[in-house]
Amino acid sequence: MKESFTPGPGRERELRTALGAFATGVTVVTCRDETGPLGFTANSFTSVSLDPPLLLWCPAVASPRHDAFVSTQHFSVHVLEAQQLQLSERFAVEARNFDGVDWREGPNGTPQISGCLTRFDCRHFAAHGAGDHTIVLGLVEKVEHTPGVPLVFALGAYGRFASSL
Ligand SMILES: Cc1cc2nc3c(=O)[nH]c(=O)nc-3n(C[C@H](O)[C@H](O)[C@H](O)COP(=O)(O)O)c2cc1C
């Protein structure tokens, strides 16, 4: 059923549903602070610029992980493969629990998770306040890429990318 509305107080659910029609991949962003490694499931990831190579993602200001990810000088964005649904679910609820996750420490101590389609190792480029989220821009310093089937998130649910229509 077609719906038309003006976003505002009380309309958050409808806005979320409308935004959910935009299918995305799923990423886990990692960084390290003085306490240890952190992960954050995010589908706000977007490529921004090829020259210089820039990407962005948006952590919620209300998240207890927000400040660590906005202030870190180094972070890695991991694009998840279709079979990595559990990683998405884990880092949607856990920040610091890497138990059982296959990962190693990259340069600067940033966690690098194995088995992802692409990993972008980034240096903090800029951060811009944007309502209840912050836009974090990263300058991509290194890329690791393996071909595979991307995990997809749309309509509030997970799927796997299928190239046929
Ligand atoms: C598929 C998926 C994508 C998400 N993308 C984002 C995102 O881009 N930005 C964000 O702030 N939270 C995003 N979240 C929510 C966070 O991963 C996390 O669940 C939320 O911040 C609540 O946990 P916290 O309060 O411990 O941070 C996403 C969750 C899922 C499952």
mmCIF file of all heavy atoms in Angstrom, residues 26 40-45 57-60 62-65 88 91-93 133 153 158, ligand 1:
data_model
loop_
_atom_site.group_PDB
_atom_site.id
_atom_site.type_symbol
_atom_site.label_atom_id
_atom_site.label_comp_id
_atom_site.label_asym_id
_atom_site.label_seq_id
_atom_site.Cartn_x
_atom_site.Cartn_y
_atom_site.Cartn_z
ATOM 1 N N VAL A 26 26.641 -5.063 3.969
ATOM 2 C CA VAL A 26 26.825 -4.946 5.417
ATOM 3 C C VAL A 26 28.323 -4.910 5.703
ATOM 4 O O VAL A 26 29.084 -5.699 5.124
ATOM 5 C CB VAL A 26 26.184 -6.125 6.172
ATOM 6 C CG1 VAL A 26 26.339 -5.944 7.682
ATOM 7 C CG2 VAL A 26 24.709 -6.268 5.810
ATOM 8 N N PHE A 40 31.924 -2.666 15.024
ATOM 9 C CA PHE A 40 30.654 -1.925 14.895
ATOM 10 C C PHE A 40 30.019 -2.333 13.570
ATOM 11 O O PHE A 40 30.585 -2.090 12.501
ATOM 12 C CB PHE A 40 30.952 -0.422 14.901
ATOM 13 C CG PHE A 40 29.796 0.494 15.209
ATOM 14 C CD1 PHE A 40 29.922 1.503 16.153
ATOM 15 C CD2 PHE A 40 28.577 0.372 14.561
ATOM 16 C CE1 PHE A 40 28.879 2.372 16.442
ATOM 17 C CE2 PHE A 40 27.525 1.225 14.837
ATOM 18 C CZ PHE A 40 27.678 2.228 15.775
ATOM 19 N N THR A 41 28.859 -2.971 13.606
ATOM 20 C CA THR A 41 28.136 -3.318 12.381
ATOM 21 C C THR A 41 27.504 -2.073 11.781
ATOM 22 O O THR A 41 26.810 -1.327 12.483
ATOM 23 C CB THR A 41 27.034 -4.356 12.689
ATOM 24 O OG1 THR A 41 27.649 -5.532 13.204
ATOM 25 C CG2 THR A 41 26.233 -4.698 11.445
ATOM 26 N N ALA A 42 27.759 -1.850 10.492
ATOM 27 C CA ALA A 42 27.246 -0.623 9.861
ATOM 28 C C ALA A 42 26.885 -0.872 8.399
ATOM 29 O O ALA A 42 27.658 -1.478 7.655
ATOM 30 C CB ALA A 42 28.285 0.484 9.945
ATOM 31 N N ASN A 43 25.700 -0.380 8.007
ATOM 32 C CA ASN A 43 25.352 -0.418 6.582
ATOM 33 C C ASN A 43 25.275 0.993 6.005
ATOM 34 O O ASN A 43 24.838 1.173 4.876
ATOM 35 C CB ASN A 43 24.048 -1.194 6.334
ATOM 36 C CG ASN A 43 22.838 -0.486 6.868
ATOM 37 O OD1 ASN A 43 22.958 0.399 7.717
ATOM 38 N ND2 ASN A 43 21.667 -0.870 6.400
ATOM 39 N N SER A 44 25.739 1.974 6.775
ATOM 40 C CA SER A 44 25.776 3.354 6.277
ATOM 41 C C SER A 44 27.015 3.613 5.437
ATOM 42 O O SER A 44 27.238 4.735 4.984
ATOM 43 C CB SER A 44 25.742 4.333 7.459
ATOM 44 O OG SER A 44 26.756 4.008 8.396
ATOM 45 N N PHE A 45 27.818 2.578 5.228
ATOM 46 C CA PHE A 45 29.036 2.692 4.427
ATOM 47 C C PHE A 45 28.719 3.174 3.012
ATOM 48 O O PHE A 45 27.770 2.698 2.386
ATOM 49 C CB PHE A 45 29.695 1.311 4.361
ATOM 50 C CG PHE A 45 30.789 1.222 3.339
ATOM 51 C CD1 PHE A 45 32.055 1.703 3.622
ATOM 52 C CD2 PHE A 45 30.555 0.662 2.097
ATOM 53 C CE1 PHE A 45 33.072 1.625 2.672
ATOM 54 C CE2 PHE A 45 31.566 0.571 1.149
ATOM 55 C CZ PHE A 45 32.824 1.063 1.435
ATOM 56 N N TRP A 57 31.221 6.334 6.704
ATOM 57 C CA TRP A 57 30.174 5.574 7.396
ATOM 58 C C TRP A 57 29.678 6.457 8.529
ATOM 59 O O TRP A 57 30.304 7.491 8.847
ATOM 60 C CB TRP A 57 30.693 4.224 7.889
ATOM 61 C CG TRP A 57 31.599 4.287 9.079
ATOM 62 C CD1 TRP A 57 32.877 4.761 9.108
ATOM 63 C CD2 TRP A 57 31.296 3.866 10.407
ATOM 64 N NE1 TRP A 57 33.392 4.660 10.362
ATOM 65 C CE2 TRP A 57 32.441 4.107 11.184
ATOM 66 C CE3 TRP A 57 30.174 3.307 11.017
ATOM 67 C CZ2 TRP A 57 32.496 3.824 12.559
ATOM 68 C CZ3 TRP A 57 30.228 3.015 12.372
ATOM 69 C CH2 TRP A 57 31.378 3.272 13.124
ATOM 70 N N CYS A 58 28.562 6.090 9.140
ATOM 71 C CA CYS A 58 27.915 6.980 10.110
ATOM 72 C C CYS A 58 27.547 6.245 11.398
ATOM 73 O O CYS A 58 26.537 5.528 11.425
ATOM 74 C CB CYS A 58 26.635 7.573 9.515
ATOM 75 S SG CYS A 58 26.866 8.405 7.939
ATOM 76 N N PRO A 59 28.323 6.403 12.466
ATOM 77 C CA PRO A 59 27.929 5.855 13.764
ATOM 78 C C PRO A 59 26.925 6.774 14.471
ATOM 79 O O PRO A 59 27.008 8.002 14.360
ATOM 80 C CB PRO A 59 29.250 5.793 14.538
ATOM 81 C CG PRO A 59 30.107 6.848 13.923
ATOM 82 C CD PRO A 59 29.663 7.005 12.492
ATOM 83 N N ALA A 60 26.003 6.178 15.206
ATOM 84 C CA ALA A 60 25.011 6.941 15.966
ATOM 85 C C ALA A 60 25.681 7.604 17.169
ATOM 86 O O ALA A 60 26.472 6.973 17.873
ATOM 87 C CB ALA A 60 23.893 6.017 16.441
ATOM 88 N N ALA A 62 24.391 8.307 19.925
ATOM 89 C CA ALA A 62 23.941 7.674 21.172
ATOM 90 C C ALA A 62 24.689 6.383 21.484
ATOM 91 O O ALA A 62 24.591 5.868 22.610
ATOM 92 C CB ALA A 62 22.443 7.378 21.076
ATOM 93 N N SER A 63 25.439 5.848 20.532
ATOM 94 C CA SER A 63 26.129 4.577 20.776
ATOM 95 C C SER A 63 27.310 4.775 21.724
ATOM 96 O O SER A 63 28.110 5.697 21.544
ATOM 97 C CB SER A 63 26.647 4.001 19.456
ATOM 98 O OG SER A 63 27.510 2.919 19.724
ATOM 99 N N PRO A 64 27.456 3.875 22.697
ATOM 100 C CA PRO A 64 28.618 3.956 23.595
ATOM 101 C C PRO A 64 29.941 3.804 22.837
ATOM 102 O O PRO A 64 30.985 4.163 23.336
ATOM 103 C CB PRO A 64 28.417 2.768 24.547
ATOM 104 C CG PRO A 64 26.987 2.387 24.435
ATOM 105 C CD PRO A 64 26.539 2.797 23.057
ATOM 106 N N ARG A 65 29.885 3.264 21.602
ATOM 107 C CA ARG A 65 31.115 3.094 20.805
ATOM 108 C C ARG A 65 31.435 4.328 19.962
ATOM 109 O O ARG A 65 32.491 4.403 19.349
ATOM 110 C CB ARG A 65 30.954 1.918 19.842
ATOM 111 C CG ARG A 65 30.437 0.667 20.467
ATOM 112 C CD ARG A 65 30.102 -0.351 19.394
ATOM 113 N NE ARG A 65 28.831 -0.982 19.675
ATOM 114 C CZ ARG A 65 28.354 -2.005 18.998
ATOM 115 N NH1 ARG A 65 29.029 -2.519 18.013
ATOM 116 N NH2 ARG A 65 27.193 -2.522 19.314
ATOM 117 N N SER A 88 27.862 -9.904 11.554
ATOM 118 C CA SER A 88 26.993 -8.719 11.563
ATOM 119 C C SER A 88 26.182 -8.680 12.850
ATOM 120 O O SER A 88 26.104 -7.642 13.531
ATOM 121 C CB SER A 88 26.061 -8.738 10.352
ATOM 122 O OG SER A 88 25.135 -7.682 10.436
ATOM 123 N N PHE A 91 28.465 -7.917 16.050
ATOM 124 C CA PHE A 91 28.936 -6.556 16.273
ATOM 125 C C PHE A 91 27.820 -5.517 16.214
ATOM 126 O O PHE A 91 28.063 -4.321 16.322
ATOM 127 C CB PHE A 91 30.100 -6.235 15.330
ATOM 128 C CG PHE A 91 31.350 -6.990 15.704
ATOM 129 C CD1 PHE A 91 31.842 -8.005 14.905
ATOM 130 C CD2 PHE A 91 31.996 -6.708 16.906
ATOM 131 C CE1 PHE A 91 32.981 -8.717 15.272
ATOM 132 C CE2 PHE A 91 33.125 -7.416 17.285
ATOM 133 C CZ PHE A 91 33.627 -8.418 16.475
ATOM 134 N N ALA A 92 26.580 -6.004 16.057
ATOM 135 C CA ALA A 92 25.434 -5.120 16.286
ATOM 136 C C ALA A 92 25.131 -5.041 17.785
ATOM 137 O O ALA A 92 24.568 -4.049 18.260
ATOM 138 C CB ALA A 92 24.214 -5.613 15.514
ATOM 139 N N VAL A 93 25.531 -6.080 18.534
ATOM 140 C CA VAL A 93 25.221 -6.073 19.973
ATOM 141 C C VAL A 93 26.478 -6.045 20.848
ATOM 142 O O VAL A 93 26.433 -5.610 21.996
ATOM 143 C CB VAL A 93 24.342 -7.279 20.385
ATOM 144 C CG1 VAL A 93 22.962 -7.160 19.777
ATOM 145 C CG2 VAL A 93 24.979 -8.595 20.010
ATOM 146 N N HIS A 133 23.572 11.217 14.042
ATOM 147 C CA HIS A 133 24.736 10.427 13.617
ATOM 148 C C HIS A 133 25.924 11.355 13.331
ATOM 149 O O HIS A 133 25.760 12.570 13.243
ATOM 150 C CB HIS A 133 24.416 9.597 12.370
ATOM 151 C CG HIS A 133 23.601 8.361 12.663
ATOM 152 N ND1 HIS A 133 22.340 8.421 13.219
ATOM 153 C CD2 HIS A 133 23.870 7.046 12.505
ATOM 154 C CE1 HIS A 133 21.864 7.190 13.377
ATOM 155 N NE2 HIS A 133 22.787 6.332 12.955
ATOM 156 N N PHE A 153 21.515 -6.330 3.032
ATOM 157 C CA PHE A 153 20.525 -5.948 4.043
ATOM 158 C C PHE A 153 19.493 -5.050 3.367
ATOM 159 O O PHE A 153 19.838 -4.015 2.782
ATOM 160 C CB PHE A 153 21.215 -5.216 5.200
ATOM 161 C CG PHE A 153 20.351 -5.049 6.412
ATOM 162 C CD1 PHE A 153 20.056 -6.128 7.239
ATOM 163 C CD2 PHE A 153 19.824 -3.806 6.739
ATOM 164 C CE1 PHE A 153 19.261 -5.978 8.369
ATOM 165 C CE2 PHE A 153 19.032 -3.645 7.872
ATOM 166 C CZ PHE A 153 18.754 -4.733 8.682
ATOM 167 N N TYR A 158 18.186 -9.759 6.252
ATOM 168 C CA TYR A 158 19.403 -10.141 5.536
ATOM 169 C C TYR A 158 19.071 -10.983 4.320
ATOM 170 O O TYR A 158 18.085 -11.714 4.295
ATOM 171 C CB TYR A 158 20.313 -10.973 6.440
ATOM 172 C CG TYR A 158 20.909 -10.217 7.602
ATOM 173 C CD1 TYR A 158 20.346 -10.307 8.868
ATOM 174 C CD2 TYR A 158 22.038 -9.428 7.427
ATOM 175 C CE1 TYR A 158 20.899 -9.628 9.948
ATOM 176 C CE2 TYR A 158 22.603 -8.751 8.494
ATOM 177 C CZ TYR A 158 22.029 -8.856 9.755
ATOM 178 O OH TYR A 158 22.581 -8.185 10.805
HETATM 179 C C1 LIG B 1 22.732 -4.517 9.321
HETATM 180 C C2 LIG B 1 22.950 -3.436 10.358
HETATM 181 C C3 LIG B 1 23.459 -2.208 9.977
HETATM 182 C C4 LIG B 1 23.695 -1.197 10.914
HETATM 183 N N1 LIG B 1 24.227 -0.002 10.506
HETATM 184 C C5 LIG B 1 24.459 0.971 11.417
HETATM 185 C C6 LIG B 1 25.046 2.200 11.019
HETATM 186 O O1 LIG B 1 25.393 2.417 9.860
HETATM 187 N N2 LIG B 1 25.236 3.149 11.972
HETATM 188 C C7 LIG B 1 24.864 2.958 13.270
HETATM 189 O O2 LIG B 1 25.050 3.854 14.077
HETATM 190 N N3 LIG B 1 24.336 1.785 13.679
HETATM 191 C C8 LIG B 1 24.135 0.799 12.788
HETATM 192 N N4 LIG B 1 23.626 -0.395 13.190
HETATM 193 C C9 LIG B 1 23.361 -0.600 14.632
HETATM 194 C C10 LIG B 1 24.664 -0.877 15.396
HETATM 195 O O3 LIG B 1 25.403 -1.947 14.819
HETATM 196 C C11 LIG B 1 24.361 -1.255 16.872
HETATM 197 O O4 LIG B 1 23.440 -2.316 16.898
HETATM 198 C C12 LIG B 1 23.785 -0.079 17.622
HETATM 199 O O5 LIG B 1 24.760 0.953 17.652
HETATM 200 C C13 LIG B 1 23.374 -0.443 19.077
HETATM 201 O O6 LIG B 1 24.452 -0.923 19.799
HETATM 202 P P1 LIG B 1 25.312 0.032 20.819
HETATM 203 O O7 LIG B 1 24.338 0.862 21.561
HETATM 204 O O8 LIG B 1 26.075 -0.940 21.664
HETATM 205 O O9 LIG B 1 26.233 0.825 19.937
HETATM 206 C C14 LIG B 1 23.397 -1.423 12.281
HETATM 207 C C15 LIG B 1 22.894 -2.685 12.664
HETATM 208 C C16 LIG B 1 22.673 -3.677 11.727
HETATM 209 C C17 LIG B 1 22.151 -5.009 12.174
#
